[in-house]
């Protein structure tokens, strides 16, 4: 039978224990049992049970020894802890005593109590060092409660600030392990912010001192390392690094604004940022504008070199201005015309590059400029954009394009100035978008706004004046081309055929070629311009086109059949005028078509036709001039009817 805890129930009596064991053993009962008494079996059970008890005794003994050892160990640890607490309390008591003695010693005269004062000072210093050392050890062990106790004692000592310095130094150990020092600094401050209130009675002061230490030592050193190596050798990289570092520093500062750092944390953090970057921001705009000028000049020069083009010098000053005013008013080609071979010298790629460089400059300017200097700095960047994009590129292309426009009597002239107009308009839309998107926000609330708007207005007016001049000359050339076609293709016999009976009613060859040319130019104008400019230019071309045909028809004498041909031609010209989609132009050709009816109408019906709706309001001299073109005008009968 196995030994069980039931045999050892309290209170324990040996006789009763044996009696219970006997009764539980088969054959152990003396009477009344189901089996007869068996002494051998009982003896065997007793022997086995004794062996089990011996084994149990050994097991229990080992357990007792183990528990005794554990108890002794815990007793020693407890005693040690009590001793440490007692010692700690004696430190605290000693600190209180030495602090009071130190204050009293300050009042004692030095000549009489120099030795006493020296001993107190020495003890004060030794105890202060012990406390700081204890705080240092506790911090390394991560014992926040002990750090709090020691810090509370040191609060009344001169060395309290040194305790804070130790804490700040040690909490930064191993804090900068990533590649991003700004992220590391943010994580460090976040961790310390959660901990510092459990240690110090003035947590906001300690946290502020940590942040100051991070900025003035760690970040300042990093920024200097990143900027100094490229400051003189690579302006582009320097500006990119400066913008990136300043942005990341201010972003870190924004995160730190969440913490309690005292009363005016905004000013505190701003001063820290300024202390790092002041030497770089003082002359920032000089570096920015210098780089932007050289970069813009390089972009332009690279473009003209790719075209194997040597830029012409565009004169300025009194004589040049006088020439320009004369040219604008008279359309005289002052100076020799040049052949640009259809090259506009405008590049959207160049423009995009210039605008991209300027956009980045505006972004850096916004971030790096002092608020009081921002509008002035932005204006300086804008003037550089105007100089290189508007003057050196667009205006140069316009001047070159104007010089490339042939005279109005040139044959087969390449009228590519409309291509210049198209590209210039596209470019100026991009320029205007950057003006509104990137410059306006920087100057909108400053006096520089009106200055920028005025400068932009002047640039627009100058360019529009040159575009208008070029378009006007181009329209003259178009009309000149039409004159050449008419002179070459129109025959006198077209309108006064020798055989009146064998003429097919159709338009003349000259009309076909002129209309084909006009339709091509109308399409080109529509593709080159936008908005109201299209209608304005088409209106002007349509008026000149009408005048050309009107004057052209005045040069011939018309037989009856020739007059019919003239009417067919004008009908075709009118159909061509419909493509203009300008009501006034169509009206002019409707009237001209009605006038041509005077060439063929029966003499008896002249007065009736002249008083019709389309001709009634015309000057009689105009009507008479068309009637005079009839081959039969000199007959007395026609003259009598018209008069």
């Amino acid at each position: 039978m196995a030994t069980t805890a039931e045999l050892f129930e309290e209170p324990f009596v040996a006789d009763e224990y044996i009696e219970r064991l006997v009764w539980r053993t088969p054959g152990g009962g003396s009477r009344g049992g189901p089996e007869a008494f068996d002494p051998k079996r009982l003896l065997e059970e007793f022997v086995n049970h004794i062996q089990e008890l011996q084994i149990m005794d050994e097991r229990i003994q080992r357990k007792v020894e183990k528990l005794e050892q554990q108890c002794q160990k815990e007793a020693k640890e407890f005693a040690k802890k009590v001793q440490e607490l007692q010692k700690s309390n004696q430190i605290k008591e000693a600190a209180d005593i030495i602090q009071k003695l130190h204050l009293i010693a300050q009042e004692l005269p030095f000549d009489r109590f120099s030795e006493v004062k020296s001993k107190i000072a020495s003890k004060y210093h030794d105890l202060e060092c012990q406390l700081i050392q204890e705080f240092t050890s506790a911090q390394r062990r991560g014992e926040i409660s002990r750090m709090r106790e020691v810090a509370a004692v040191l609060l009344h000592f001169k060395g309290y600030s040194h305790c804070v310095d130790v804490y700040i130094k040690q909490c930064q150990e191993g804090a900068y392990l990533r590649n991003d020092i700004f992220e590391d600094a943010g994580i460090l401050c976040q961790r310390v912010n959660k901990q510092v209130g459990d240690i110090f009675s003035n947590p906001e002061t300690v946290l502020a001192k940590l942040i100051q230490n991070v900025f003035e030592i760690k970040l300042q050193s990093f920024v200097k390392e990143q900027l100094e190596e490229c400051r003189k050798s690579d302006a582009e990289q320097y500006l990119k690094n400066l913008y990136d570092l300043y942005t990341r520093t201010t972003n870190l500062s924004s995160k730190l604004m969440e913490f309690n750092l005292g009363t005016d944390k905004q000013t505190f953090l701003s001063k820290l940022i300024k202390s790092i970057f002041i030497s770089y921001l003082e002359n920032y705009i000089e570096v920015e504008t210098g780089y932007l000028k050289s970069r813009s000049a390089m972009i332009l020069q690279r473009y003209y070199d790719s075209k194997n083009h040597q830029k012409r010098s565009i004169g300025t000053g009194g004589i040049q201005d006088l020439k320009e005013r004369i040219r604008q008013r008279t359309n005289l080609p002052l100076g020799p015309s040049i052949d640009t071979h259809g090259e506009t010298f405008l590049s959207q790629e160049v423009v995009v590059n210039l605008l991209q460089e300027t956009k980045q400059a505006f972004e850096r300017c916004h971030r790096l400029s002092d608020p009081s200097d921002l509008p002035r700095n932005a204006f300086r960047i804008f003037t550089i954009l105007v100089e290189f994009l508007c003057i050196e590129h667009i205006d140069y292309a316009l001047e070159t394009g104007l010089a490339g426009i042939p005279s109005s009597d040139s044959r087969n002239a390449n009228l590519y100035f409309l291509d210049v107009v198209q590209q210039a308009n596209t470019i100026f839309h991009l320029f205007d978008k950057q003006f509104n998107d990137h410059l306006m926000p920087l100057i909108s609330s400053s006096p520089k706004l009106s200055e920028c708007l005025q400068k932009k207005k002047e640039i627009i007016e100058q360019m529009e004046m040159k575009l208008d001049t070029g378009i006007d000359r181009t329209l003259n050339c178009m009309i000149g081309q039409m004159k050449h076609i008419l002179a070459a293709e129109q025959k006198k016999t077209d309108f006064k055929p020798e055989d009146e009976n064998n003429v097919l009613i159709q338009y003349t060859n000259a009309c076909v070629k002129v209309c084909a040319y006009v339709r091509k130019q109308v399409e080109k104008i529509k593709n080159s311009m936008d908005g109201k400019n299209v209608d304005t230019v088409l209106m002007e071309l349509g008026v000149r086109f009408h005048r050309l045909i009107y004057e052209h028809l005045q040069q011939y004498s018309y037989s009856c059949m020739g007059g019919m041909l003239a009417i067919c031609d004008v009908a075709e010209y009118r159909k061509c005028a419909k493509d203009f989609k300008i009501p006034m132009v169509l009206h002019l050709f409707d009237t001209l078509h009605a006038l041509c009816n005077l060439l063929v109408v029966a003499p008896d019906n002249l007065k009736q036709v002249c008083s019709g709706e389309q001709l009634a309001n015309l000057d009689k001299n105009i009507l008479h001039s068309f009637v005079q073109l009839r081959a039969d005008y000199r007959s007395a009968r026609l003259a009598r009817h018209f008069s």
Side-chain angles (χ1 to χ4, degrees):
M1 182 184 66
T3 304
T4 63
E6 296 178 3
L7 298 175
F8 297 97
E9 292 180 354
E10 295 292 342
F12 178 77
V13 179
D15 291 343
E16 293 181 359
Y17 175 79
I18 294 172
E19 187 68 24
R20 287 197 300 273
L21 180 61
V22 169
W23 280 103
R24 292 187 180 194
T25 303
S30 57
R31 60 181 181 275
E35 299 180 11
F37 177 71
D38 186 351
K40 290 183 179 180
R41 189 170 184 179
L42 186 61
L43 175 62
E44 182 181 350
E45 182 63 27
F46 278 161
V47 172
N48 291 336
H49 195 71
I50 290 170
Q51 291 177 350
E52 288 182 6
L53 288 175
Q54 288 175 341
I55 293 172
M56 181 181 290
D57 179 65
E58 292 175 359
R59 188 184 302 121
I60 292 174
Q61 188 62 35
R62 286 196 299 271
K63 189 173 183 180
V64 168
E65 290 175 356
K66 185 176 181 181
L67 290 173
E68 286 178 347
Q69 291 175 358
Q70 184 176 349
C71 183
Q72 291 174 1
K73 182 179 179 182
E74 290 180 357
K76 289 180 181 179
E77 290 178 353
F78 180 76
K80 182 180 180 182
K81 189 171 184 179
V82 170
Q83 186 179 9
E84 288 178 352
L85 289 173
Q86 290 175 341
K87 183 179 178 182
S88 171
N89 190 51
Q90 294 171 356
I91 289 176
K92 188 173 182 180
E93 290 175 358
D96 185 54
I97 293 171
I98 200 65
Q99 173 69 17
K100 291 177 180 177
L101 287 174
H102 182 71
L103 291 174
I104 294 171
Q106 304 300 314
E107 306 297 327
L108 297 177
F110 183 78
D111 53 349
R112 293 176 55 192
F113 299 97
S114 59
E115 185 176 352
V116 175
K117 293 180 71 169
S118 176
K119 288 182 179 180
I120 292 174
S122 177
K123 187 63 177 176
Y124 181 94
H125 176 72
D126 291 344
L127 187 57
E128 188 178 65
C129 290
Q130 291 176 24
L131 287 168
I132 292 173
Q133 183 60 43
E134 176 61 23
F135 181 89
T136 302
S137 300
Q139 184 176 0
R140 286 176 177 161
R141 296 192 302 268
E143 297 177 357
I144 301 297
S145 59
R146 182 60 181 153
M147 293 169 68
R148 180 172 59 250
E149 292 172 0
V150 177
V153 175
L154 275 168
L155 182 62
H156 305 290
F157 280 76
K158 293 180 180 179
Y160 177 74
S161 61
H162 187 55
C163 169
V164 173
D165 292 340
V166 167
Y167 173 77
I168 289 173
K169 179 182 179 182
Q170 289 197 165
C171 68
Q172 293 186 74
E173 292 177 357
Y176 305 100
L177 299 177
R178 301 171 183 79
N179 292 327
D180 191 339
I181 189 174
F182 296 94
E183 184 181 355
D184 286 339
I187 294 173
L188 168 65
C189 294
Q190 186 77 36
R191 174 168 58 81
V192 171
N193 179 60
K194 294 178 180 178
Q195 182 186 83
V196 72
D198 296 332
I199 301 173
F200 298 98
S201 59
N202 55 339
E204 68 281 353
T205 304
V206 177
L207 183 59
K209 194 168 185 180
L210 167 67
I211 292 173
Q212 183 176 357
N213 183 275
V214 170
F215 272 69
E216 293 182 348
I217 297 177
K218 202 70 181 178
L219 294 186
Q220 185 159 4
S221 174
F222 179 75
V223 168
K224 184 177 181 181
E225 177 186 343
Q226 295 294 310
L227 293 179
E228 289 298 329
E229 62 183 50
C230 60
R231 188 171 189 175
K232 295 181 180 179
S233 60
D234 190 341
E236 179 182 14
Q237 192 61 47
Y238 170 76
L239 289 169
K240 287 181 178 178
N241 287 356
L242 178 59
Y243 176 78
D244 179 64
L245 292 168
Y246 190 83
T247 299
R248 294 168 75 189
T249 304
T250 53
N251 289 343
L252 174 61
S253 174
S254 298
K255 293 178 182 177
L256 300 180
M257 283 288 291
E258 302 172 4
F259 305 149
N260 181 13
L261 303 176
T263 54
D264 193 356
K265 52 187 175 183
Q266 177 69 55
T267 303
F268 168 69
L269 291 170
S270 296
K271 286 182 177 178
L272 290 179
I273 295 173
K274 187 176 181 180
S275 68
I276 294 176
F277 291 97
I278 186 170
S279 63
Y280 305 107
L281 299 182
E282 284 178 338
N283 68 334
Y284 150 71
I285 195 60
E286 303 302 329
V287 179
E288 185 72 81
T289 53
Y291 166 72
L292 186 58
K293 285 181 180 179
S294 63
R295 178 68 176 168
S296 300
M298 185 271 288
I299 291 172
L300 287 178
Q301 190 59 50
R302 187 170 58 191
Y303 167 71
Y304 294 119
D305 288 346
S306 72
K307 299 291 182 181
N308 293 320
H309 176 73
Q310 182 66 39
K311 287 187 74 175
R312 296 165 57 245
S313 176
I314 300 175
T316 57
I319 296 177
Q320 182 65 24
D321 292 342
L322 177 60
K323 283 184 176 181
E324 181 61 26
R325 287 197 294 272
I326 294 173
R327 183 175 64 178
Q328 290 166 4
R329 294 186 181 183
T330 64
N331 271 328
L332 293 175
L334 302 178
S337 175
I338 64 171
D339 186 0
T340 60
H341 304 287
E343 177 60 62
T344 64
F345 291 109
L346 286 172
S347 166
Q348 193 159 333
E349 180 183 356
V350 166
V351 173
V352 169
N353 288 338
L354 290 174
L355 291 176
Q356 181 63 23
E357 293 291 341
T358 311
K359 175 186 174 183
Q360 292 173 357
F362 279 136
E363 289 174 349
R364 289 192 291 261
C365 177
H366 190 194
R367 175 73 69 177
L368 301 175
S369 295
D370 186 273
S372 61
D373 296 330
L374 178 57
R376 182 168 59 253
N377 290 349
F379 179 74
R380 290 181 65 179
I381 293 172
F382 173 63
T383 57
I384 295 172
L385 177 63
V386 169
E387 176 186 353
F388 286 94
L389 176 62
C390 298
I391 298 176
E392 292 295 327
H393 193 54
I394 303 177
D395 190 68
Y396 176 76
L398 293 180
E399 286 286 348
T400 304
L402 286 172
I405 298 176
S407 62
S408 59
D409 58 353
S410 299
R411 294 175 180 271
N412 302 317
N414 181 8
L415 304 181
Y416 85 102
F417 190 79
L418 290 180
D419 296 333
V420 177
V421 174
Q422 179 187 15
Q423 293 182 34
N425 282 335
T426 301
I427 290 170
F428 206 81
H429 283 315
L430 296 174
F431 169 78
D432 193 51
K433 187 176 189 308
Q434 185 169 90
F435 183 94
N436 294 324
D437 293 350
H438 299 286
L439 176 60
M440 284 291 288
L442 309 186
I443 60 171
S444 57
S445 58
S446 77
K448 285 293 179 183
L449 174 60
S450 59
E451 195 172 347
C452 287
L453 290 173
Q454 180 61 30
K455 193 171 188 66
K456 178 186 171 186
K457 180 183 177 184
E458 292 173 358
I459 289 294
I460 292 175
E461 289 176 348
Q462 290 173 12
M463 291 187 178
E464 285 182 343
M465 193 177 297
K466 291 178 181 179
L467 287 170
D468 289 346
T469 300
I471 292 170
D472 185 63
R473 292 184 189 175
T474 300
L475 294 181
N476 283 341
C477 286
M478 290 179 183
I479 299 301
Q481 295 292 98
M482 296 180 211
K483 283 183 179 180
H484 285 306
I485 295 172
L486 291 172
E489 301 294 334
Q490 199 84 71
K491 306 294 189 295
K492 287 187 178 182
T493 55
D494 287 344
F495 303 118
K496 200 172 182 181
E498 296 177 358
D499 187 353
E500 291 277 325
N501 297 320
N502 292 325
V503 177
L504 297 176
I505 304 301
Q506 60 181 0
Y507 34 79
T508 65
N509 191 49
C511 173
V512 172
K513 291 192 175 182
V514 167
C515 288
Y517 179 81
V518 170
R519 287 190 173 95
K520 183 178 178 182
Q521 303 313 310
V522 168
E523 189 65 26
K524 192 165 188 178
I525 289 171
K526 289 181 178 179
N527 291 334
S528 301
M529 300 176 193
D530 54 13
K532 294 182 180 179
N533 292 331
V534 177
D535 292 346
T536 301
V537 175
L538 287 179
M539 166 82 82
E540 186 62 29
L541 176 61
V543 170
R544 297 186 191 189
F545 175 36
H546 168 267
R547 185 184 306 121
L548 171 67
I549 301 303
Y550 179 90
E551 292 174 352
H552 174 69
L553 293 174
Q554 296 280 331
Q555 301 175 33
Y556 299 93
S557 175
Y558 298 88
S559 66
C560 181
M561 186 55 66
M564 293 299 293
L565 281 172
I567 290 174
C568 291
D569 274 6
V570 173
E572 190 64 20
Y573 291 136
R574 182 175 62 175
K575 188 187 298 184
C576 184
K578 287 183 179 179
D579 294 342
F580 286 60
K581 294 184 171 28
I582 306 295
M584 180 180 173
V585 174
L586 186 58
H587 173 70
L588 289 173
F589 278 93
D590 285 341
T591 304
L592 182 59
H593 189 266
L595 282 170
C596 288
N597 285 330
L598 298 177
L599 301 175
V600 298
V601 70
D604 294 341
N605 296 331
L606 275 175
K607 284 189 176 181
Q608 181 183 352
V609 173
C610 289
S611 60
E613 182 179 351
Q614 289 183 310
L615 301 180
N617 295 326
L618 291 182
D619 188 289
K620 284 188 177 182
N621 292 328
I622 295 175
L623 300 176
H624 193 195
S625 67
F626 263 79
V627 174
Q628 287 178 323
L629 300 177
R630 293 171 61 129
D632 59 354
Y633 173 73
R634 296 190 179 277
S635 69
R637 182 168 173 241
L638 182 59
R640 183 176 68 252
H641 278 284
F642 188 74
S643 61

